[in-house]
Amino acid sequence: AERAVRKSARKAAPARQPTPPPPTPPPPAVKRKGGVVETVVPEEEEKGRRRVRARNSQEVPAQQPTAGNGTTAAAASGSASEVEDGDDGKKAEKILDWRYKGSQSKVLDAVKDATKEKEFYVKWKGASYLHCQWIPELPLAQAQPVLVRHFYRRAEESLETDMFENGLNPAWCRVDRVLAQSEAGGELRYLIKWQELSYDQSSWELATDLPPCEEELAAFKAREAAVDKTPELVDHAPRQYTEQPPWVSRLDLELHPYQLQGLNWLRARWAARESVILADEMGLGKTIQSVAFIVSLIEDRHSAGPFLVCAPLSTIGNWQREFRLWAPAVNVVVYAGSAEARQLIRDTEFGGGAG
């Protein structure tokens, strides 16, 4: 009987209706103006956003940045805009080293020098290492925080900054090659490639700012003068050397007898238009024989070049040294590096001339 009563009660109860979903807010209005689509936010929603922003600004007061030594940004010298833009719109590209302001020391006396500021030795973007400067830490940290963090992380992981004074390799301030010259407003400028740096780090420098580079300037002028000169070539077969070639004796150098034999063999195969492999054992001077072969063709006027030497990157430095020693008059260009570097090489170095 009880089950029958409950069953009849369930039948008499009205069916439960499902809860309707919340109404979907209407999409923001869109209007077009001058070909540009603009979204119009409803006024009530915009008022709510403004109230949230106002409440957050009251709850979280603005904090003044510190320099890491207790001083605030207002107390530090310089400003972020001054460091980022510099006097001539400059921007820091790399931090080389650091020190405490007014000294070369990196050791801080916690009592005497508690408020001492740090300085960074900075290379400017678009400028060579000749123009590096010491600047305060705080303005740079405000303007380029990622650069500062990267420097500290790199300094912790390596001893690169301790290898050279102020982290600056002296070779980066020595002229490797002069690529071009320009004169405007009465000022003479040269496009300089620096030693141990790639072509894409070349920079224009005033002639008065250059370090001593008389030999490099003379070599540049000689290359420019040789662009329009085509040497008269001979078509007879290369002669065989029975003694040291004259261009070797002029350099106060000497080829070993087997190297002289290899040189004659290379010249004979070249005259016969045969491709060959010089298969001497390691350490017997195959690079020297190859350089001597190229120089012999130029000196005997059998070919004016250009010549292409394909070598692994790890051996390019050795090829350069041998060419400087055995063929100082030959214009040697290392065609390697980034796309920007190779483009600059094509624009400035592939102008003609022997070698």
Side-chain angles (χ1 to χ4, degrees), residues 108-301:
L108 177 65
D109 187 328
V111 177
K112 181 179 178 182
D113 300 327
T115 60
K116 211 163 198 178
E117 300 176 20
K118 289 182 181 179
E119 290 181 321
F120 287 138
Y121 197 53
V122 168
K123 177 190 180 296
W124 300 108
K125 189 173 183 179
S128 69
Y129 285 91
L130 286 178
H131 308 287
C132 293
Q133 291 178 312
W134 287 101
I135 63 172
E137 175 192 23
L138 178 58
L140 182 62
Q142 290 179 310
Q144 298 174 255
V146 176
L147 182 68
V148 175
R149 288 197 300 268
H150 175 71
F151 169 75
Y152 279 127
R153 184 166 56 249
R154 181 168 54 88
E156 293 175 356
E157 297 174 354
S158 68
L159 299 176
E160 181 180 347
T161 56
D162 295 328
M163 294 176 60
F164 304 104
E165 183 179 0
N166 297 333
L168 178 61
N169 186 344
W172 300 342
C173 295
R174 292 197 292 262
V175 176
D176 185 15
R177 294 175 69 86
V178 180
L179 305 179
Q181 73 175 28
S182 174
E183 188 169 2
E187 293 182 332
L188 181 60
R189 295 175 179 268
Y190 291 103
L191 181 58
I192 303 298
K193 180 196 175 296
W194 305 97
Q195 291 184 13
E196 300 185 16
L197 294 176
S198 58
Y199 275 83
D200 53 6
Q201 297 190 57
S202 302
S203 60
W204 284 97
E205 303 290 340
L206 288 171
T208 54
D209 292 340
L210 290 179
C213 56
E214 290 77 10
E215 293 184 7
E216 290 75 12
L217 285 172
F220 165 71
K221 294 176 181 178
R223 293 195 301 270
E224 291 291 296
V227 168
D228 298 327
K229 294 182 179 179
T230 303
E232 184 179 350
L233 303 179
V234 296
D235 57 0
H236 59 75
R239 61 188 176 93
Q240 297 290 293
Y241 292 117
T242 57
E243 56 185 13
Q244 295 293 322
W247 47 269
V248 172
S249 301
R250 287 198 305 266
L251 298 172
D252 199 20
L253 300 172
E254 184 178 353
L255 292 170
H256 292 292
Y258 68 87
Q259 292 176 329
L260 190 62
Q261 182 181 0
L263 172 60
N264 286 328
W265 179 72
L266 289 172
R267 288 165 59 87
R269 296 305 94 203
W270 177 83
R273 299 296 186 266
E274 294 180 3
S275 299
V276 295
I277 296 177
L278 191 61
D280 288 347
E281 295 182 5
M282 290 184 61
L284 295 181
K286 296 185 293 295
T287 303
I288 294 176
Q289 294 177 65
S290 301
V291 172
F293 166 64
I294 292 175
V295 179
S296 71
L297 296 181
I298 298 174
E299 289 287 334
D300 293 346
R301 294 186 298 165

Side-chain angles (χ1 to χ4, degrees), residues 309-323:
V309 177
C310 299
L313 285 175
S314 59
T315 65
I316 284 182
N318 182 56
W319 278 94
Q320 287 182 284
R321 287 190 295 271
E322 298 299 352
F323 266 108

